[in-house]
Amino acid sequence: MGRSTLRTVGRVLAVWAVSSATLAVLAAVLPDFTIEAPGGDSPTRIALTAGFGAGAFGVLSALVWPLLVRALLLVPALVLGALVFFLNGTLLLIALRLAPEGRGEATWATAVLIAAVMSATSSATSTALAVRDDDAYGRRLARLAGRRRRRAGDPPRPTTPGTVFLQLDGVGHGVLRDALTCGPPAMPTVAGWLESGTHRLVPWRTDWSSQTGASQLAILHGSNHDVPAFRWYEKETGQVMVCNRPSSAAELERRAVARTGSPGLLAGGGASRGNLFSGGADQSALVMSVAARADTFNRPRSGYFAYFSDPANAVRTAWSFCAEVGREILESSSARIRADGPRVGRGGLYPLLRAFATVVERDVAVAAVIGDMLAGRSAVYADLVAYDEVAHHSGPYSGDARKVLTRLDRSARLIADAARYAPRPYRIVLLSDHGQSTGETFEGAYGVRLRELVRAGCGLADHGRRARRTGGAEARGAARTALRRPERGRRAEEAECGPPSEPVVLASGNLGLVTFPDLPGRATLEEISLRSPDLLATLTGHPGIGFVLVRSAERGPLVLGPGGGERELATGRVVGCDPLAPFGPGAAAAVLRTDSFPHTADLMVNSASDPRTGTVHAFEDQAGSHGGLGGPQSCPFLLHPAELPLPAGPLTGAEALHAVFREWLAAPCAAPGRGLPAQPREAAADTAAEPGRY
């Protein structure tokens, strides 16, 4: 007997027990209902009678209702609704008449009430028990989405295959490879795809800004030009741009569309779910860039309303949410007892934020994707942020994060199983937008924050004010948007950056940005040296700083490193030790590209990285970080159907992925070997994620 059969039998027995208990309780409290002999019965006999009555009612309902539904198809809906109560009451009276020795008695009106209560309790019990049953959950979502599709007019069935892009946020190529091959696989579904040959796994390289905003904007809209980091300061407006803030995401999408002249990857019938950007999709839900629109149907909260309007979904997600909060409290307590490191704060609201990211956002996005597939949409792109959120606080290689990968694997299986009910075949592409690098935080390792170090280099006194901690910003931003909370920190003073005469210091993982608001345009090396003669020496002389990018009026873009090492990016000339050598051969090109952005900060500060272990020092309160160079954060993965070809050579930059995906969507029926040149199979085995290598 299989596990699925055992689970089904267990659910049936549990529902039977609850229905029996409900029947016994109702018999005790309702005056016109009894399941005892006139002289009374023992508790055991009452329990047996209740069990018989509940079982008979369940069997009669299962056998009779399908026949009655067919017979009553022509009955108007309102009349049928009233008949449901009458028929349920009648079935219960029949079940009570079948009780041994006529022990079950009730008036007809009481029988209607009892039948309604028993139906409600049995339905709630069955739903609660099916919370962890993915097969039952998938079938339910398929039925619900199918009904929505029929209400939409049941459009003609397309003949070309559709594509689902499922972004596993923050999962590096090395992490996924280990999850598939080390010991019992943490992701058995994905491992099966790889072993069967239906999918191939390859790494790709991010830009210098290894974070969701830059990668996803390029993937969905073809350009991440002028996105130097996750957050940065723009002098002309005096505002701090943050990629996961609705107003900033909308502006970044507008700029990308204006630059490329294209609405996006998902234009023409696609759907965007749980992303920062819409990709030009006709259907968007839980998307940051559309959060500020006045159109009610485009508000990101509409996805939550659509999902939680079904009570079964609410029960499943609420149950899992509470379990996840308890899991985080237990895991954080265990990590504290074991003295695991690196360790960051996991108290306060974080357990709730984690549960929101790993349960609520996941469940809503998966349900939306399944609905899109059953509606036959041509392309769907969804972001599952669960791993990224947990890895930020527990570490990318922690047992906590590995368990999240197992739950993401279940989500992938649900989506793959739902494809069986879709009106068109679907190809499932898994990818990540960046990896994560681990290491002690900059403050934890050296006892000072980047802002304090910059102020010291500028000769400014430390007033004791500390910037608001930014760990968990992704989940916090999504939760605030879902709750329609106002944005924070749009202006520099709101972000606790100090007055205009002082430098603005922002952090994006292990990438720091220093801007002088009162110096117009991009401040040069010469201007900064004149204003703060000790600043650059203070930064490059600190053991936690890997390199600093600054623009020289005489020498162009210049990278400064420890021990007086310099690299002129325009000429490639190196003085002393090359500051970019520990970050791999692709680092210089990535840094030079970022230097060309209009809003690149006056100083771009990348933390040090150990090329042997890939560890970095985040300027934020994060055990696992991303956003700069160093370690596996720059090496995400792409797992694609084998029949979809890749260009020869490495995939470098998120814009390259956009070009590949456009080819796939433009030629959906292309056979392997046609269209793009096929990538050699050995590329799939290329780790390309050597610790510390870009």
Side-chain angles (χ1 to χ4, degrees):
M1 185 180 295
R3 294 179 60 184
S4 178
T5 303
L6 290 175
R7 285 198 300 267
T8 302
V9 172
R11 271 204 313 275
V12 170
L13 293 177
V15 171
W16 184 16
V18 171
S19 298
S20 301
T22 302
L23 196 65
V25 170
L26 291 175
V29 299
L30 293 178
D32 297 327
F33 175 41
T34 180
I35 53 174
E36 304 177 44
D41 278 327
S42 66
T44 302
R45 188 55 185 264
I46 294 174
L48 291 174
T49 303
F52 183 89
F57 177 62
V59 171
L60 286 173
S61 297
L63 295 177
V64 175
W65 263 114
L67 300 176
L68 291 177
V69 169
R70 289 180 177 273
L72 298 173
L73 286 177
L74 299 179
V75 175
L78 292 177
V79 177
L80 181 59
L83 284 176
V84 166
F85 293 97
F86 171 78
L87 294 173
N88 264 341
T90 302
L91 290 177
L92 180 65
L93 285 175
I94 295 174
L96 293 176
R97 293 290 187 271
L98 296 176
E101 303 177 12
R103 278 179 163 76
E105 294 183 6
T107 63
W108 181 83
T110 302
V112 171
L113 175 62
I114 295 170
V117 173
M118 289 183 62
S119 297
T121 55
S122 62
S123 177
T125 303
S126 180
T127 299
L129 292 174
V131 163
R132 308 304 297 174
D133 189 335
D134 290 335
D135 294 333
Y137 177 53
R139 288 192 298 269
R140 178 173 179 79
L141 287 178
R143 289 194 300 270
L144 293 173
R147 287 200 291 268
R148 288 198 296 268
R149 182 176 181 274
R150 287 192 294 272
R151 286 197 298 268
D154 200 10
R157 291 177 176 266
T159 57
T160 57
T163 306
V164 173
F165 299 96
L166 198 60
Q167 178 179 304
L168 306 185
D169 205 300
V171 180
H173 176 264
V175 168
L176 181 68
R177 184 191 57 213
D178 292 345
L180 301 180
T181 60
C182 293
M187 305 182 74
T189 299
V190 178
W193 296 350
L194 203 58
E195 292 172 2
S196 66
T198 61
H199 283 70
R200 293 179 180 176
L201 174 64
V202 297
W204 67 277
R205 300 179 189 275
T206 68
D207 304 284
W208 185 6
S209 182
S210 53
Q211 47 89 19
T212 304
S215 293
Q216 197 178 88
L217 184 65
I219 292 171
L220 291 178
H221 289 280
S223 174
N224 58 10
H225 178 77
D226 204 19
V227 181
F230 182 74
R231 52 178 68 85
W232 66 94
Y233 177 78
E234 297 193 344
K235 292 185 179 181
E236 64 271 25
T237 62
Q239 291 193 354
V240 176
M241 298 285 286
V242 184
C243 288
N244 73 337
R245 182 177 294 157
S247 60
S248 297
E251 174 61 17
L252 293 177
E253 183 171 316
R254 185 198 66 77
R255 294 177 184 178
V257 171
R259 182 175 179 84
T260 62
S262 169
L265 182 72
L266 305 176
S272 178
R273 308 300 186 187
N275 301 312
L276 295 181
F277 309 103
S278 72
D282 298 332
Q283 297 290 326
S284 296
L286 320 181
V287 175
M288 285 292 175
S289 65
V290 301
R293 295 183 187 175
D295 183 359
T296 302
F297 297 100
N298 280 331
R299 288 180 182 171
R301 292 194 304 168
S302 62
Y304 296 107
F305 291 144
Y307 179 80
F308 287 108
S309 62
D310 177 31
N313 290 342
V315 170
R316 172 187 172 89
T317 299
W319 184 286
S320 299
F321 183 93
C322 295
E324 188 70 12
V325 171
R327 183 181 294 115
E328 162 55 24
I329 295 173
L330 177 63
E331 290 175 349
S332 63
S333 300
S334 300
R336 190 163 51 250
I337 293 172
R338 296 191 304 265
D340 291 347
R343 189 166 71 248
V344 299
R346 295 167 63 173
L349 293 176
Y350 173 67
L352 299 177
L353 292 173
R354 166 175 164 166
F356 178 81
T358 59
V359 174
V360 178
E361 289 192 282
R362 177 201 65 197
D363 287 356
V364 174
V366 168
V369 170
I370 291 176
D372 292 327
M373 295 170 68
L374 288 217
R377 305 199 193 286
S378 58
V380 183
Y381 195 104
D383 186 9
L384 302 181
V385 301
Y387 172 86
D388 189 62
E389 180 61 33
V390 173
H392 274 314
H393 292 79
S394 302
Y397 304 103
S398 64
D400 301 358
R402 187 176 176 89
K403 294 174 186 175
V404 174
L405 291 176
T406 300
R407 293 192 285 275
L408 289 177
D409 183 80
R410 292 170 52 210
S411 297
R413 179 163 60 86
L414 277 176
I415 291 172
D417 289 346
R420 295 178 297 174
Y421 309 103
R424 69 193 311 166
Y426 273 95
R427 303 166 305 193
I428 298 179
V429 177
L430 299 186
L431 73 151
S432 59
D433 49 345
H434 55 78
Q436 283 205 22
S437 298
T438 189
E440 193 73 35
T441 66
F442 188 80
E443 181 185 21
Y446 301 105
V448 63
R449 285 182 172 249
L450 179 62
R451 181 176 184 271
E452 298 166 354
L453 186 65
V454 170
R455 291 181 63 85
C458 292
L460 298 173
D462 182 11
H463 300 301
R465 181 180 62 183
R466 293 229 164 173
R468 182 166 50 92
R469 292 178 181 264
T470 51
E474 291 90 340
R476 190 180 299 272
R480 290 184 65 86
T481 301
L483 297 173
R484 300 289 289 178
R485 302 294 295 169
E487 295 182 0
R488 286 181 178 176
R490 295 184 63 179
R491 305 198 66 82
E493 58 269 22
E494 295 172 349
E496 301 185 31
C497 297
S501 60
E502 297 183 357
V504 174
V505 182
L506 299 172
S508 294
N510 73 317
L511 177 63
L513 295 86
V514 182
T515 304
F516 298 90
D518 56 343
L519 293 181
R522 176 94 172 267
T524 65
L525 168 69
E526 293 77 10
E527 290 175 319
I528 296 172
S529 298
L530 183 63
R531 175 182 181 134
S532 303
D534 298 329
L535 176 58
L536 290 172
T538 299
L539 291 175
T540 57
H542 193 282
I545 302 298
F547 67 88
V548 178
L549 170 67
V550 62
R551 175 72 64 85
S552 170
E554 299 177 358
R555 303 166 63 187
L558 186 64
V559 175
L560 307 177
E566 298 179 358
R567 180 176 181 134
E568 294 181 1
L569 293 177
T571 64
R573 178 173 174 266
V574 176
V575 177
C577 295
D578 185 357
L580 296 180
F583 299 92
V591 174
L592 180 60
R593 178 175 183 266
T594 301
D595 176 79
S596 68
F597 294 167
H599 290 108
T600 294
D602 297 334
L603 297 178
M604 301 283 287
V605 184
N606 202 99
S607 86
S609 175
D610 187 333
R612 296 169 303 166
T613 62
T615 56
V616 300
H617 300 298
F619 299 123
E620 300 182 81
D621 194 33
Q622 297 175 340
S625 66
H626 57 88
L629 291 177
Q633 62 180 311
S634 300
C635 189
F637 76 90
L638 172 63
L639 189 138
H640 65 99
E643 70 269 17
L644 296 177
L646 287 177
L651 289 169
T652 302
E655 292 178 2
L657 255 66
H658 176 84
V660 170
F661 293 169
R662 271 201 176 278
E663 290 281 352
W664 290 353
L665 297 180
C669 295
R674 296 185 178 182
L676 296 169
Q679 175 160 326
R681 176 173 287 274
E682 56 266 22
D686 179 16
T687 64
E690 299 177 43
R693 309 296 288 181
Y694 172 73

